[in-house]
Amino acid sequence: MDRARLIHAMADVVGPTYVISDPAELKVYEADGLTIFKATPDVVALPKSAVEVADVVRLCARERVPFVPRGAGTGLSGGALAVEGGVVIGLNRMNRVLEVDYANQRAVIEPGAINIWLTNQVSPDGYYYAPDPASQTACSVGGNVAENSGGPHCLKYGVTTNHVLALEIVLATGETIEIGSWTPDPPGYDLTGVFVGSEGTFGIVTKIVVRLLKRPEAVKTMLLVFETIADASATVSGIIGRGIIPAAIEMMDNLTIQAVEKGVHAGYPTDAGSVLLVELDGPRAEVEALAESVIAVGREHRMREVRVARDDAERTLLWKGRKAAFAAMGQISSAYYVQDGVIPRTQLLKILGEIDALSRHYGLRVANVFHAGDGNLHPLILYDDRVGGEVQKAEAMGAEIMQRCIAVGGSITGEHGVGFEKRDFMPLMYTPADLEAMAKVKRVWNPDGLLNPGKIFPTSKSCVEVSAAGKPGDIGYKPHRIELEGKAQRF
Ligand SMILES: Cc1cc2nc3c(=O)[nH]c(=O)nc-3n(C[C@H](O)[C@H](O)[C@H](O)COP(=O)(O)OP(=O)(O)OC[C@H]3O[C@@H](n4cnc5c(N)ncnc54)[C@H](O)[C@@H]3O)c2cc1C
C-alpha cells in the first residue's frame, strides 16, 4: 500500500482530524526523550477507543505495515521510534480514569492517562498510585506498563509490575484479549507478568487495572548532606544493611546540585559533594524511630548536616529538586545523554569512581542523580551537540559505563528499557540461547514482527564484533560497533 492510500485508509478508521501526515507535524513523533536517535514515521494515527486501536492494527497487519504504540514519548531508550517507518499509534486520546474502587483499592485507567493524574484524583480520599517515575507529570500509564517503569518510591513499594492487576490488550493480529484478574493469583500462566515490560512488542495496552495504596500515617523527608560521594555511598549501604527500607533513597552529586539550584532553587547546599534524599513512611512511631537510625548511620559516615522537611511545602521543594534534575541539566549543558545501568549497591563507590575516570578520559562532564537504594544509576553525560564528534564520544562513554555495570554483576537497564538504544548490548548479558528463548516468546505475541520492529533484540546487521582495544574494564575498550540500520539516524 502506498503512503497516500495508507493515510486515506487510516482516516476512514480514526477520522481525518486524527491522522497526522504533514512532514512538519510528523517531526513531533521522530524522537522520544532520548533525542540521540530520530526516525520519522510515515503516518501517525490517534485512535479514541480500543475498537479503533484494533481497526488500525488490523489495517496495518493486512497491509504488512510496521506499527508502533506511543504514549507520551518520554521514553529514554528510543522505544517509541518508528525505526522501520510505518504507523505510530498515539494513545494520548485514550486518557480517562474510568473507575475508582476504594473498597477493593483498585482503579481502571486508559493507557494515555498521565501517571500523576491518578494520584491527583484519589489523593483527597487518602489514596495514591505508587509507581512514580521522575517523569510522572508527563509520562503515560500505558508507557509505564510497557517499560515496567520504576521511580524513587519503588525501592519500598515495587515497580509497575507489582501494581498492575489486569490488562486489556489489542494483539498484533487486531484481536482483543483481557489478561490478569481483579482477584489475586488467577489460574493459568501469569501473562500480565510476561506482558509488563515487553516494551510495546507484545501488544497495545488499551485498559489497565491498577492497585491503589492508602497514604501512610506519616512521611518524613530528609536531606542528608555529605562532603564526599564516598560517605554518601557508605551511608546508603549502611542504611540498607541495618534492615531499613526507606520509601526512597536518591543520591545527587555536586554537579547535579549545581544544575538543580540554577534551575529550580530547591535549597540544596551548592558546596556539598553529595546529598541523599531519604524518605521514610509508615506508622508515625515507626517513622520517627527509623529516622533516628538513618541519621545515626549518616553520622557514622561523616554526614555534615541533615535537613528535615517541616511541612508539605518543604517536602515538595526537596522532591522538586530531584524530579527536575534531568531538565535542570539545560542550565549547565546544551545536551546530555542519560544512562540507566544497575549495579549491586555495594559496588556503588567503585562504579562512581570508574565513571569519574571515564569522564576525565573522554573530556565530558558527568552528573550523577539516581535511585541509590536499588543501585539504579543514571549518569548524565553532558556534551555539546554543536561540536562535531561530541555525541559519538558521549555514546562511546555510555557504552563503556554499561560494560562496567555488567562487569560488577549489574545490568544495562534498570527502568528505561532496552528499546532501540541498547539492543546491541543484549549479547553482553545474554547467551544466544537466552536471547532465542526470549525471541520465541516474542514470536508468539508478534508473529509477523510488524509490532514495534527493531527493538530489544540485536540484529545480525546491527551488532558486529570488532577486535577489542584492550580488555574489558580498560578505558577505551570497545567490544561492539553499533551500526544503525533501517530509517533511524543519529541526531
Ligand atoms: C526527565 C525524565 C525522567 C524519567 N524518570 C524515570 C524514572 O524515574 N523511572 C522510569 O522508569 N522511567 C523514567 N523515565 C523514562 C520514561 O518516562 C518512562 O519509560 C515512561 O514509562 C515512558 O512512558 P511514555 O508514555 O512516555 O512512553 P513512550 O516513550 O511513548 O513509549 C515507551 C515505550 O512504551 C511503548 N508503549 C507506549 N504506550 C503503550 C501502550 N499503550 N501499549 C503498549 N506499548 C506502549 C512504546 O512503544 C515504547 O516502546 C524518565 C524520562 C524522563 C524524560
Side-chain angles (χ1 to χ4, degrees):
M1 186 181 249
D2 67 27
R3 185 168 177 267
R5 283 183 52 225
L6 181 65
I7 293 167
H8 197 263
M10 279 302 159
D12 281 347
V13 176
V14 297
T17 314
Y18 300 109
V19 175
I20 296 171
S21 58
D22 177 75
E25 292 177 15
L26 286 175
K27 282 195 167 299
V28 172
Y29 296 87
E30 70 183 7
D32 63 4
L34 187 61
T35 71
I36 269 189
F37 304 110
K38 284 185 175 180
T40 311
D42 292 300
V43 56
V44 175
L46 303 171
K48 179 68 181 157
S49 66
V51 172
E52 286 189 3
V53 172
D55 287 345
V56 168
V57 167
R58 265 194 292 272
L59 174 61
C60 293
R62 192 180 68 226
E63 300 299 332
R64 304 202 62 75
V65 174
F67 52 101
V68 181
R70 182 177 174 109
T74 67
L76 289 170
S77 57
L81 264 58
V83 297
E84 293 185 12
V87 179
V88 161
I89 303 177
L91 282 309
N92 319 66
R93 293 177 66 219
M94 296 175 63
N95 57 13
R96 291 170 303 164
V97 176
L98 298 172
E99 192 181 332
V100 170
D101 172 6
Y102 292 130
N104 290 299
Q105 293 197 212
R106 282 157 211 160
V108 184
I109 188 163
E110 288 188 312
I114 301 303
N115 175 300
I116 194 76
W117 292 355
L118 183 54
T119 291
N120 286 348
Q121 179 163 334
V122 298
S123 75
D125 299 311
Y127 288 85
Y128 72 111
Y129 175 59
D132 63 338
S135 52
Q136 71 180 144
T137 53
C139 63
S140 74
V141 180
N144 297 168
V145 170
E147 298 289 2
N148 190 19
S149 294
H153 292 82
C154 294
L155 173 64
K156 180 170 177 183
Y157 292 102
V159 293
T160 300
T161 193
N162 304 111
H163 299 269
V164 173
L165 299 170
L167 295 168
E168 178 187 85
I169 296 161
V170 172
L171 296 175
T173 51
E175 199 182 338
T176 301
I177 61 166
E178 288 179 19
I179 58 176
S181 164
W182 286 61
T183 53
D185 197 16
Y189 296 119
D190 176 13
L191 294 186
T192 313
V194 172
F195 190 92
V196 176
S198 58
E199 301 193 26
T201 65
F202 283 2
I204 302 183
V205 181
T206 48
K207 203 188 286 176
I208 306 154
V209 182
V210 295
R211 197 187 301 281
L212 295 176
L213 297 187
K214 192 90 178 103
R215 284 250 175 245
E217 184 191 358
V219 178
K220 201 179 239 330
T221 308
M222 304 183 286
L223 191 75
L224 279 55
V225 182
F226 297 88
E227 296 293 347
T228 67
I229 286 187
D231 287 338
S233 303
T235 300
V236 174
S237 295
I239 292 169
I240 307 279
R242 285 205 186 178
I244 302 169
I245 305 293
I249 311 184
E250 299 289 304
M251 192 191 289
M252 286 164 271
D253 68 4
N254 179 267
L255 197 50
T256 304
I257 295 168
Q258 300 288 344
V260 166
E261 283 310 303
K262 279 193 178 149
V264 298
H265 316 293
Y268 300 166
T270 51
D271 61 341
S274 179
V275 292
L276 291 178
L277 188 57
V278 180
E279 189 157 278
L280 298 159
D281 66 9
R284 194 171 305 285
E286 179 187 308
V287 166
E288 291 304 327
L290 290 179
E292 278 176 27
S293 300
V294 166
I295 291 169
V297 176
R299 292 212 170 100
E300 282 166 23
H301 299 287
R302 292 166 289 281
M303 179 179 71
R304 187 175 94 184
E305 178 193 353
V306 59
R307 299 181 185 176
V308 181
R310 282 167 297 187
D311 51 32
D312 273 355
E314 286 191 7
R315 174 173 178 250
T316 304
L317 189 61
L318 286 178
W319 275 111
K320 189 174 172 192
R322 165 61 185 92
K323 296 210 170 180
F326 284 18
M329 291 303 141
Q331 299 287 335
I332 57 171
S333 178
S334 70
Y336 68 85
Y337 179 33
V338 55
Q339 281 300 328
D340 172 40
V342 184
I343 51 153
R345 244 182 334 258
T346 48
Q347 300 290 327
L348 208 49
L349 192 52
K350 174 178 160 63
I351 286 289
L352 291 176
E354 292 186 9
I355 292 174
D356 189 43
L358 287 167
S359 163
R360 279 182 272 113
H361 173 77
Y362 281 94
L364 297 177
R365 293 176 300 161
V366 177
N368 287 293
V369 44
F370 56 96
H371 313 309
D374 45 21
N376 186 187
L377 305 178
H378 291 324
L380 304 171
I381 304 170
L382 310 186
Y383 65 94
D384 189 338
D385 49 356
R386 297 156 301 187
V387 175
E390 285 240 320
V391 64
Q392 287 80 3
K393 267 208 281 182
E395 273 188 84
M397 184 174 161
E400 287 207 52
I401 293 174
M402 291 299 99
Q403 271 289 319
R404 307 302 169 99
C405 291
I406 294 170
V408 297
S411 150
I412 58 171
T413 170
E415 55 185 20
H416 298 168
V418 178
F420 179 70
E421 180 208 12
K422 289 196 175 141
R423 60 184 188 166
D424 296 305
F425 298 147
M426 290 289 270
L428 302 180
M429 285 197 67
Y430 297 110
T431 66
D434 297 338
L435 287 170
E436 179 51 23
M438 289 188 213
K440 278 184 183 151
V441 180
K442 178 183 162 188
R443 285 196 287 273
V444 170
W445 292 84
N446 189 359
D448 298 326
L450 291 171
L451 173 53
N452 209 356
K455 310 293 163 61
I456 301 178
F457 295 95
T459 62
S460 52
K461 268 194 280 175
S462 71
C463 181
V464 184
E465 291 280 346
V466 292
S467 57
K471 60 181 190 314
D474 289 348
I475 284 176
Y477 171 71
K478 289 182 188 64
H480 286 90
R481 184 173 72 227
I482 297 164
E483 292 184 343
L484 300 179
E485 61 169 290
K487 287 192 163 191
Q489 299 294 327
R490 278 201 173 79
F491 185 64

